[in-house]
Amino acid sequence: MLAMNHYNLSGPPGALDPLSNLSQWDTEMVEMESLAHQGNLTSDRPMSGGPIAAALSMTLGVISNIVALFILANAYSHQRRRSKATFLLFASSLVLTDFFGHIIPGVLVLRLYLSGGVFPEAVAASSNGSTDPMCQFLGGSMVFFGLCPLFLGCAMAAERCLGVTQPLLHSSLVTTTRTKLSLSGIWLVALCVALLPCFQLGSYTYQHPNSWCFIKVLANDTQEADVAFVTLFSGLGLTSLGVALVCNTISGLTLVLARLRRRPSGYSSSHSHRSVAKSHDIEMVVQLVGIMVTSCICWSPLLIFGLMSVMRSYRGSIDKADMATYETLNLMGVRLASWNQILDPWVYILLRRAVLRKIYLITKCQADLNGSVLRRWEGNSFQSKSSENSPVNRI
């Protein structure tokens, strides 16, 4: 366009040599196409810091999950309370799932980073419905290891809600065998959802900047199956977060009310046993609240952005500017979701009863110190005022 305007304003057509004009036009067009091609390659290739950031993130996730697994295994071997053992079994499964969910997709993404991304032909073939085994495996892994932590957090919250509100029913229903069956069912449901594209119910494609694969949410040929698949994935994730929020709220309110209703009485063995049980319940609910908050922060953006993207893409109301915006939002969403597998272990590590007791003692000592200083200051002030008002001082 700029070249055309330049030549239109330069004078009449006969003022320039046609051959030289054509040669110059072709030269500039080749240069412009070369620059555009370079720009596309630069925008599609991952940033130079991508491999380093991916390697550091994967290393941090591996270390965090290994430390948490060691602590959980040690606590499970010394645990005698069945409700606490059930919670530790769920927590161990969550950390183990996060460990493999960080390793398997992380290695594939790191391989794509180091190889400079995928070729445009592979991206186009994947977008047109051709089967790319690596993309299918990476997309299925992200869906599977994305749903499992959300399902596990929901199941843990429901189990604790039943244990806090109905302890007798919990003791009769929740057993180790049933817990293991529930874990197997959770993994099976997540696997079935991840395998739906194998039955032509949805599809996985390369996502911007062609370094990862996920559900097709942005495309010109979005089908009803793609919309249904994204809706199923986002709906299951958001429903799990909502159920966990309700169950943890009920558990927390129940514990707070029980704490307020308790009256000071003489200490006995039964009273000590109930105090230990309540402290275990408080510890588990605090950890569940931490896991729920972490999951909401890390997963909600990707679940919501994916649903918004596929809806607008299916309606055909996304232009090029909106496409770039939604690509950036989805990329930020998946990066934030990957941090859930790093932060989940630290929620358990930092919110254990031993750590919480130390924090409580430090806070209490600080409060007692401030209170003693305040009482000393008030006493001195009272004494000075009384001495000033005494008859001796007035004389």
Side-chain angles (χ1 to χ4, degrees):
M1 294 283 296
L2 294 177
M4 290 175 65
N5 291 333
H6 173 76
Y7 288 114
N8 287 336
L9 296 174
S10 60
L16 295 174
D17 185 8
L19 295 178
S20 63
N21 188 8
L22 182 61
S23 177
Q24 188 175 2
W25 168 267
D26 291 340
T27 302
E28 291 191 12
M29 287 298 295
V30 170
E31 291 177 357
M32 290 175 64
E33 291 178 0
S34 177
L35 290 174
H37 182 64
Q38 291 178 3
N40 289 335
L41 288 179
T42 304
S43 63
D44 288 341
R45 286 177 62 87
M47 294 182 295
S48 59
I52 298 176
L56 291 176
S57 175
M58 189 167 65
T59 303
L60 179 61
V62 169
I63 294 175
S64 302
N65 285 281
I66 288 177
V67 172
L69 279 174
F70 177 78
I71 295 174
L72 284 166
N74 188 28
Y76 186 79
S77 61
H78 293 86
Q79 189 54 239
R80 295 295 180 265
R81 295 182 67 246
R82 193 172 66 180
S83 61
K84 181 66 175 179
T86 302
F87 177 82
L88 292 175
L89 185 58
F90 271 117
S92 302
S93 303
L94 174 62
V95 174
L96 190 64
T97 304
D98 285 336
F99 176 76
F100 286 106
H102 206 73
I103 287 290
I104 296 175
V107 170
L108 297 177
V109 171
L110 186 61
R111 179 177 177 273
L112 286 174
Y113 268 123
L114 295 177
S115 62
V118 295
F119 292 106
E121 294 81 4
V123 177
S126 176
S127 301
N128 293 330
S130 299
T131 302
D132 186 347
M134 182 176 179
C135 182
Q136 298 296 314
F137 183 75
L138 178 56
S141 299
M142 294 190 68
V143 170
F144 174 78
F145 291 113
L147 288 177
C148 281
L150 299 178
F151 288 165
L152 288 171
C154 178
M156 293 168 69
E159 184 268 336
R160 272 299 82 212
C161 182
L162 181 63
V164 171
T165 58
Q166 301 291 333
L168 296 179
L169 182 62
H170 176 272
S171 61
S172 62
L173 289 180
V174 179
T175 61
T176 304
T177 303
R178 290 175 179 174
T179 302
K180 293 179 180 179
L181 290 176
S182 300
L183 291 172
S184 301
I186 288 172
W187 287 326
L188 181 61
V189 171
L191 181 62
C192 291
V193 175
L195 292 178
L196 286 179
C198 297
F199 302 97
Q200 305 301 318
L201 299 175
S203 58
Y204 298 118
T205 58
Y206 286 100
Q207 307 289 330
H208 174 79
N210 298 334
S211 59
W212 58 292
C213 279
F214 198 58
I215 306 172
K216 182 191 288 187
V217 294
L218 289 172
N220 295 326
D221 57 344
T222 304
Q223 305 296 325
E224 290 84 357
D226 300 321
V227 178
F229 189 30
V230 177
T231 303
L232 177 64
F233 174 76
S234 299
L236 289 175
L238 293 174
T239 302
S240 300
L241 293 176
V243 173
L245 176 62
V246 173
C247 292
N248 288 328
T249 302
I250 295 174
S251 300
L253 291 177
T254 303
L255 291 175
V256 170
L257 292 176
R259 181 78 175 181
L260 293 176
R261 292 171 183 167
R262 191 176 66 180
R263 293 291 183 267
S265 59
Y267 289 95
S268 61
S269 59
S270 60
H271 178 80
S272 177
H273 179 74
R274 287 196 302 269
S275 299
V276 172
K278 289 297 181 183
S279 65
H280 281 291
D281 289 335
I282 293 173
E283 176 191 15
M284 290 184 284
V285 171
V286 168
Q287 291 172 353
L288 285 176
V289 170
I291 292 173
M292 179 196 66
V293 171
T294 303
S295 299
C296 288
I297 294 175
C298 293
W299 273 102
S300 294
L302 181 62
L303 296 175
I304 295 174
F305 291 155
L307 196 57
M308 293 170 55
S309 301
V310 76
M311 289 298 182
R312 292 200 60 181
S313 179
Y314 178 71
R315 295 169 185 169
S317 58
I318 299 183
D319 54 13
K320 291 184 179 180
D322 291 339
M323 181 73 73
T325 302
Y326 276 95
E327 286 178 349
T328 304
L329 290 176
N330 286 318
L331 181 61
M332 292 174 59
V334 76
R335 286 176 176 174
L336 189 60
S338 65
W339 276 93
N340 184 53
Q341 299 162 341
I342 301 175
L343 296 177
D344 271 346
W346 287 105
V347 169
Y348 179 79
I349 293 172
L350 297 178
L351 296 183
R352 288 178 297 134
R353 189 173 55 164
V355 178
L356 293 176
R357 185 186 295 114
K358 291 181 181 178
I359 295 174
Y360 171 74
L361 292 176
I362 293 173
T363 306
K364 185 178 179 181
C365 292
Q366 188 68 25
D368 292 341
L369 180 61
N370 293 335
S372 62
V373 172
L374 181 61
R375 287 192 298 270
R376 192 181 306 119
W377 180 80
E378 290 178 348
N380 293 334
S381 301
F382 178 76
Q383 291 176 3
S384 61
K385 289 181 180 180
S386 62
S387 61
E388 289 176 357
N389 295 328
S390 64
V392 177
N393 287 334
R394 286 201 300 270
I395 295 172

